Amino acid sequence: MDDAGLFDTLDLTEYEATALAALLRLGRTTAPDLAEATGIPKARIYDVLGSLSDVGYLKVIPGRPKEYQPHDPETVLERARENKRQELETFERELDEARDSFLATFESAFEEQGDVRPAEELFHVVDVGDPSESETRRLYHEADRAAYVLTKSFEYLDAVSPSLAAALDRGVAVRALFYHPDLLDEGERRVQESVTERLREEFPAVEFRFSTGELPWRGTFVDPSTTYDDGEAIFLVEEPEVPDHMRQAALTANGSFVAGFKRYFELVWDHESVATS
C-alpha cells in the first residue's frame, strides 16, 4: 500500500497524505525542503502544511524560515479520533437545532399519505459492495434477537466483523448457512475454509452449517417475527452470469417477507444441510 492509502481513514488529500508521511519519516523540516523531498508544488506546500496544522497533526515552529514538526504517530491517530468526535457533536447539535422546524414542515404532510404502499415499494435496492456491506453492518447493529446469514463463503466477514461481534456481545443469536464446499470453485473453497476457521476461533457463538444444495438467494436477515410485524433483510438472488460488482441487493422491512425468509432458512437448516464440510 502506498503512503496515500495508509491515510485514507484520515480523510486527507493526496498532497496532505504525502506531506504527512514524509514528515513522519523525516522529522522537523521546512516547507521548501519538504516540497523538494515530496514533489509537492511549492505553490501548494504552504496550504498543505496549514491544513495539517489546522487538524492538529503537526506543529508550526516560528522562525525564518518556519519549520514544521509532526506529532508522533499515536498522537496523530488520537487527534484524528478527537476531530471526528467534535464533528459528530457539531452535527448532532445542528440536527437538534433543525429538528423542530424540519418536523413541523414535513411530518404532517408525510402522515397524510397514509401507510399503504404499492407492492413494488416493499423493497429498495443498493449496489453490491460498500453500500450493501454498510447496510449489513446496520442490520447487525440494530438486531435485538437473532440474525441469519445465507452465504457462499462469507467472504465479506472482515467488513462486518466489528458489527457482528457487537451483536453477539448483546446476546443476539447468529446462524449462518454456507454453501457446501462441493458446490464452490477452488478459490471460494479456500476463502470459506479460512472464514469458518476464523468463526470457530473468534466467534464461537456463531452456529453454522453447510447447505447440500445451491441456495436461490444470499443475504442477511434479522429479528423475524411470527406476528409478521418486525424484521429486516438484505438479499440478492443468484445470477451466476452477473459479476457481484454489477449487481444490486434488495432491502426490505416487510415483516411477512422476513418471516418467510426465516421459514425457508429453517427448512434448509433442518433438512438440507450438514454440520461439517
Side-chain angles (χ1 to χ4, degrees):
M1 180 181 294
D2 60 17
D3 287 343
L6 291 171
F7 293 103
D8 282 346
T9 55
L10 301 186
D11 293 332
L12 299 180
T13 67
E14 182 177 353
Y15 281 161
E16 289 167 353
T18 300
L20 182 56
L23 282 166
L24 289 169
R25 290 191 174 99
L26 300 174
R28 182 167 169 171
T29 189
T30 65
D33 286 346
L34 188 63
E36 182 71 24
T38 60
I40 297 173
K42 291 182 178 179
R44 295 290 310 280
I45 191 66
Y46 288 99
D47 287 340
V48 169
L49 290 168
S51 296
L52 293 173
S53 174
D54 289 343
V55 293
Y57 297 160
L58 57 81
K59 297 182 289 187
V60 181
I61 312 300
R64 294 189 177 182
K66 291 179 182 177
E67 292 185 311
Y68 299 85
Q69 171 71 49
H71 289 292
D72 64 85
E74 184 66 31
T75 298
V76 169
L77 295 179
E78 288 304 316
R79 292 293 178 90
R81 186 191 305 275
E82 176 62 17
N83 292 341
K84 286 297 183 183
R85 187 189 65 79
Q86 292 184 22
E87 286 179 16
L88 179 59
E89 286 183 351
T90 299
F91 172 75
E92 290 178 337
R93 183 174 63 253
E94 292 173 348
L95 199 63
D96 287 341
E97 291 172 353
R99 177 183 176 83
D100 290 344
S101 177
F102 185 86
L103 294 180
T105 302
F106 297 110
E107 192 168 38
S108 60
F110 182 83
E111 290 176 350
E112 288 174 3
Q113 299 174 35
D115 293 330
V116 178
R117 296 287 186 272
E120 62 269 23
E121 294 184 10
L122 294 174
F123 301 93
H124 68 279
V125 298
V126 296
D127 290 338
V128 170
D130 289 343
S132 62
E133 289 173 358
S134 176
E135 290 292 341
T136 302
R137 287 192 292 270
R138 179 184 63 80
L139 292 185
Y140 283 126
H141 278 303
E142 296 179 359
D144 291 323
R145 302 182 302 276
Y148 301 84
V149 182
L150 291 98
T151 182
K152 283 187 172 181
S153 55
F154 213 162
E155 69 282 357
Y156 56 92
L157 176 60
D158 279 344
V160 302
S161 58
S163 305
L164 171 61
L168 292 168
D169 287 344
R170 295 195 309 274
V172 175
V174 180
R175 282 184 166 184
L177 264 175
F178 288 87
Y179 271 43
H180 193 279
D182 291 346
L183 303 172
L184 304 177
D185 62 34
E186 182 60 31
E188 292 169 333
R189 281 196 294 271
R190 286 197 298 268
V191 171
Q192 186 191 88
E193 183 178 359
S194 174
V195 166
T196 53
E197 182 63 27
R198 183 179 174 190
L199 288 177
R200 292 186 182 99
E201 293 178 356
E202 297 182 28
F203 305 100
V206 175
E207 297 181 75
F208 59 88
R209 292 175 66 88
F210 300 87
S211 171
T212 55
E214 293 186 354
L215 303 172
W217 61 279
R218 290 179 278 151
T220 301
F221 61 97
V222 300
D223 294 340
S225 167
T226 56
T227 55
Y228 306 153
D229 60 357
D230 200 2
E232 287 191 70
I234 180 170
F235 66 97
L236 64 161
V237 297
E238 283 298 347
E239 296 177 291
E241 70 282 1
V242 181
D244 280 353
H245 71 274
M246 297 178 62
R247 302 177 65 187
Q248 291 184 312
L251 292 101
T252 182
N254 181 276
S256 296
F257 277 101
V258 179
F261 290 152
K262 184 190 178 187
R263 180 61 175 157
Y264 172 79
F265 186 99
E266 289 177 335
L267 288 171
V268 177
W269 183 274
D270 292 338
H271 303 291
E272 297 180 5
S273 69
V274 293
T276 61
S277 58

